[in-house]
Amino acid sequence: MQLVNQALINRTDILILNAAMNSAEKNINMVKANRNWDVQPLVSYTTTPQYNSSGFTYTPQNGISAGLLIPIPVNNYLQNADIVQASNQRVGLELQIKDLKAQIEVQVMQALLQYESAKSILAQANEAFSIASKVSDQSSSKGVMAIRDKEGSLIDAQTNHVKALINVWHQTGNYSAPKI
């Protein structure tokens, strides 16, 4: 369980989601703080070209308008939509973190099982090589082949053991190379 706790603290995917959760919390606070009146200046320029209509010729006209746009907040569901959206984002992240924690626990336990299996196979291969070295007649080609066969199995078991150990380390958030 210590390895699972280590993974929940050190893995980059959980760190990224925790940072996103922190950002979502700050976004909610910012949306709540941004509920003030906004005064926006308004300036527009319009022009109408010369045109003929019903026998009359109208000359071109230009116009300038200026004003202030002052939205008045009304307490209704539309006013709260931005807060609801920010809160929904936070809830979605909470669910992602919960799912990720469950995945991490499963991944660490699977890596540990694979490591235990690789360790057991390594012990068996080591013992088989040791017995073959003592029992086999090294002067005959059959004896040499038996030793080489057990040696190849031992090397494969050592390789798989190291791969399983590195997988355990990576699943727990330790990305350095283990000392072998």
Side-chain angles (χ1 to χ4, degrees):
M1 212 44 156
Q2 179 185 0
L3 292 176
V4 172
N5 290 335
Q6 180 182 343
L8 293 175
I9 294 170
N10 294 335
R11 283 196 32 177
T12 55
D13 46 0
I14 199 86
L15 293 174
I16 288 169
L17 276 180
N18 283 334
M21 183 69 160
N22 187 22
S23 176
E25 288 289 336
K26 290 184 180 182
N27 186 34
I28 290 172
N29 293 334
M30 199 166 86
V31 166
K32 286 179 180 177
N34 196 22
R35 297 166 79 60
N36 53 6
W37 291 28
D38 293 329
V39 177
Q40 300 172 354
L42 174 67
V43 177
S44 68
Y45 174 76
T46 58
T47 178
T48 306
Q50 179 177 337
Y51 65 95
N52 294 325
S53 177
S54 301
F56 294 103
T57 301
Y58 294 94
T59 60
Q61 296 181 0
N62 297 323
I64 296 178
S65 302
L68 291 175
L69 181 62
I70 305 173
I72 300 172
V74 177
N75 287 334
N76 60 18
Y77 292 111
L78 294 176
Q79 183 68 19
N80 294 327
D82 52 352
I83 292 176
V84 170
Q85 182 181 9
S87 296
N88 286 342
Q89 180 185 12
R90 184 189 66 200
V91 169
L93 287 170
E94 286 174 351
L95 292 173
Q96 284 181 358
I97 288 173
K98 183 179 176 184
D99 286 346
L100 182 60
K101 286 180 178 181
Q103 285 178 357
I104 287 172
E105 186 173 350
V106 168
Q107 290 169 348
V108 169
M109 298 309 276
Q110 284 177 339
L112 284 172
L113 288 173
Q114 290 170 350
Y115 175 73
E116 290 299 322
S117 175
K119 193 163 82 170
S120 172
I121 292 170
L122 176 61
Q124 292 171 1
N126 215 347
E127 184 179 333
F129 177 72
S130 178
I131 290 171
S133 296
K134 292 176 185 173
V135 174
S136 296
D137 180 19
Q138 295 185 12
S139 61
S140 72
S141 63
K142 185 177 179 181
V144 170
M145 290 302 289
I147 291 173
R148 293 295 173 237
D149 183 45
K150 299 299 180 192
E151 185 179 33
S153 296
L154 177 62
I155 291 170
D156 287 343
Q158 288 170 336
T159 302
N160 290 334
H161 177 261
V162 170
K163 285 180 181 179
L165 178 61
I166 290 172
N167 186 34
V168 168
W169 279 44
H170 284 184
Q171 292 301 328
T172 59
N174 186 348
Y175 301 107
S176 64
K179 293 181 182 176
I180 301 168

